[in-house]
Amino acid sequence: MRAEGTPSPRPAPFRAFIRRWFNWLVLAALAGAILGAVALLLSTGAAERAERAQVERASEVLLDLDRIERAALSAESAQRGYFITLDQRYLAPYRSARAIAEGGLKDLSAELGADASEAQRAEYSAIVGALDDKFTELDETIGLLEEGDVLDARRRILEGDGFDAMQRLTDAIDRLATIETRLLDLQSDRAQAAENRIFPILGLLLLLLVGAIVLGAILVARAAQAETEAAQARELKVARDRADLLAQELNHRVKNLFAMVLAIIQMSAREASDVAAYKERISARIHALLTAHEVTQGTGTSADRLVREGGASLRALVEATVQPHVSEDKRLELDGEDIAIGRGQVTPLGLVLHELATNAVKYGCWQDSGLLTVRWRQQGELLNLEWQEDREPPDNPEDEDAGAQGGFGSTMMIGAARQLGGEIERTFGPRGVTVSIAFPPRIDLPE
């Protein structure tokens, strides 16, 4: 019974409700801080980009205005020089200045664009009109001079139309330059205002982030113990399952190893002529089992890689089986990339290769001297391995037939083909035996 005056504990649903809203509060604080930072960066970046664009545009407009004004002055100077000297050489700079002025007008129109204000369009029209009037007066004067009518040309100059046009052109250029400068100042003020907003907003965002970090730390501290206990429970279960699996795998492989050794002992006993030969064959074949096991653990960089990928190195298996017999007379050629085969395929294929190498030393190309070529290729889903012996034909045909006798070798190859899930074919010729093995690599094999 609860003592009188003792506050009742809060019910579990209420605590869960508080915890759930606390989590949402943390997430909302983090989201607000992140969104605020993104919005601030976007607005500041947009203001800076707009300022840079306005600076570039204003610079181009001012350069175009300066080019137009200079071109008009150059054209006027060339016209005056031609009027004074009647030297045709003054016409070339006049035409060049006129082309520059026309190009400047086109560039100015492009820089102002379709977004130009009414004031900008009005000043641009004033520049075009004044420039047209100026070049009309210059063209008329030069035309009169080319016709030899110097008095009319002088009268045309003294009328003052060219002076008025030049004055209007200069005034319009100055007004448009003033407009561009004012727009540039306005955009700079906007960018500065955006920069000034950065610091108070950053301060607010910093407070939000600190608050979110504190709330998150509290949340993490509350959940840490529960997560640790859950993780320990999961790890304990995984470790127990792994131990059970390893025990089952070890038991299975030990049984297979005993069965393989027993088969080797029984089949070797059938074909042994004396105890020494029996001992030698058993030792050699059990050593082949050891070699195959070592290959499944990886030997060398490429073999290590294939073992990590879940397979075993075919090249390492071939080299470990036949390399010990190689000498100056007993030559070996290997041709094939380092291909991965299933670990379960290593033992049957290793025993076959060992038996072939033993026969090559006793009866085949390595009995005296010769060449053994082992090549393999991946063709579609099958791996094709070819064992080809090459030697001088034996003087005694019985030596050629000795390696073809039935026995453990033939029985082993039949069993190996079944375990590999493929086919093994042997062909005996005057220069040695050729064995073709075709099987799909990296498959699940029956043990």
Side-chain angles (χ1 to χ4, degrees):
M1 180 181 296
R2 181 172 57 88
E4 187 175 352
T6 303
S8 60
R10 293 180 178 178
F14 180 76
R15 290 198 299 271
F17 174 79
I18 293 298
R19 208 163 34 241
R20 183 167 59 251
W21 278 104
F22 181 79
N23 296 344
W24 281 111
L25 179 61
V26 173
L27 292 176
L30 288 173
I34 293 172
L35 291 176
V38 171
L40 177 63
L41 292 175
L42 289 177
S43 63
T44 306
E48 291 179 352
R49 286 194 299 271
E51 182 182 11
R52 285 196 299 270
Q54 184 65 36
V55 169
E56 293 175 0
R57 178 181 171 281
S59 298
E60 292 296 328
V61 169
L62 293 176
L63 286 175
D64 292 336
L65 293 174
D66 183 67
R67 186 169 48 158
I68 293 170
E69 187 174 14
R70 288 177 180 272
L73 291 173
S74 297
E76 187 178 51
S77 298
Q79 180 249 18
R80 295 294 189 267
Y82 181 56
F83 172 76
I84 295 171
T85 63
L86 298 179
D87 189 347
Q88 294 285 333
R89 289 178 297 176
Y90 282 97
L91 296 181
Y94 169 76
R95 296 189 182 98
S96 175
R98 177 163 191 167
I100 292 173
E102 292 174 352
L105 276 179
K106 291 181 181 178
D107 293 341
L108 180 60
S109 176
E111 291 297 334
L112 293 176
D115 297 333
S117 64
E118 257 185 56
Q120 289 172 315
R121 286 195 294 268
E123 298 304 334
Y124 175 76
S125 299
I127 292 173
V128 172
L131 198 62
D132 286 343
D133 293 342
K134 180 60 180 176
F135 277 109
T136 298
E137 183 265 338
L138 294 176
D139 289 341
E140 291 177 358
T141 304
I142 290 175
L144 292 173
L145 291 173
E146 287 178 336
E147 294 173 0
D149 195 349
V150 178
L151 293 177
D152 287 342
R154 180 174 180 276
R155 179 182 53 76
R156 184 73 178 92
I157 293 174
L158 293 176
E159 287 177 355
D161 292 342
F163 177 81
D164 294 339
M166 192 66 188
Q167 189 64 41
R168 286 187 284 113
L169 176 64
T170 304
D171 293 342
I173 288 175
D174 291 341
R175 290 194 298 272
L176 184 54
T178 302
I179 292 173
E180 291 296 325
T181 303
R182 189 166 58 251
L183 290 175
L184 182 59
D185 293 339
L186 180 61
Q187 189 59 50
S188 298
D189 292 340
R190 291 175 181 172
Q192 186 63 43
E195 291 179 1
N196 293 336
R197 288 195 301 270
I198 261 186
F199 294 104
I201 295 178
L202 279 180
L204 178 60
L205 291 178
L206 181 60
L207 290 177
L208 285 174
L209 284 174
V210 171
I213 291 172
V214 171
L215 294 176
I218 296 174
L219 182 62
V220 169
R222 289 182 175 180
Q225 185 175 0
E227 290 180 357
T228 302
E229 293 175 355
Q232 290 175 348
R234 288 194 298 269
E235 290 177 1
L236 182 61
K237 184 178 183 302
V238 170
R240 187 177 295 126
D241 293 343
R242 187 184 298 115
D244 293 341
L245 181 62
L246 289 176
Q248 294 175 7
E249 178 68 15
L250 179 61
N251 182 48
H252 184 62
R253 290 194 176 274
V254 168
K255 287 181 180 179
N256 287 345
L257 182 60
F258 279 133
M260 183 66 71
V261 172
L262 181 61
I264 289 175
I265 292 173
Q266 292 174 345
M267 291 186 177
S268 299
R270 295 175 190 169
E271 58 184 8
S273 57
D274 53 33
V275 175
Y278 180 50
K279 177 182 176 182
E280 179 183 354
R281 292 189 179 187
I282 288 178
S283 299
R285 286 163 179 166
I286 292 179
H287 181 72
L289 285 176
L290 175 61
T291 300
H293 173 72
E294 290 176 346
V295 170
T296 62
Q297 305 307 308
T299 56
T301 303
S302 61
D304 287 341
R305 175 180 58 80
L306 294 176
V307 167
R308 287 194 301 271
E309 293 174 355
S313 168
L314 175 59
R315 174 176 283 273
L317 178 60
V318 175
E319 289 178 348
T321 305
V322 301
Q323 197 72 37
H325 304 289
V326 176
S327 65
E328 184 176 350
D329 296 331
K330 299 176 177 61
R331 292 167 292 139
L332 171 66
E333 287 186 4
L334 300 180
D335 181 14
E337 298 180 355
D338 204 2
I339 298 177
I341 61 175
R343 295 191 185 184
Q345 295 174 306
V346 173
T347 297
L349 183 58
L351 288 174
V352 170
L353 295 175
H354 168 74
E355 199 68 22
L356 291 174
T358 303
N359 288 340
V361 173
K362 289 184 177 181
Y363 317 112
C365 65
W366 282 349
Q367 185 178 8
D368 294 317
S369 62
L371 172 65
L372 170 62
T373 302
V374 183
R375 60 175 62 92
W376 58 90
R377 295 286 186 275
Q378 179 82 37
Q379 296 178 344
E381 297 182 355
L382 292 180
L383 175 61
N384 293 305
L385 184 144
E386 185 178 85
W387 176 288
Q388 185 174 5
E389 300 181 16
D390 188 11
R391 64 165 183 175
E392 293 296 330
D395 297 332
N396 185 2
E398 294 181 0
D399 293 340
E400 179 183 343
D401 297 336
Q405 299 298 323
F408 180 76
S410 299
T411 304
M412 181 195 310
M413 290 190 184
I414 294 173
R418 184 166 52 253
Q419 292 187 29
L420 291 171
E423 297 180 353
I424 299 178
E425 295 182 1
R426 291 190 294 172
T427 305
F428 296 91
R431 298 190 65 86
V433 66
T434 299
V435 180
S436 298
I437 306 174
F439 63 94
R442 306 184 76 172
I443 60 174
D444 294 328
L445 300 172
E447 297 289 339

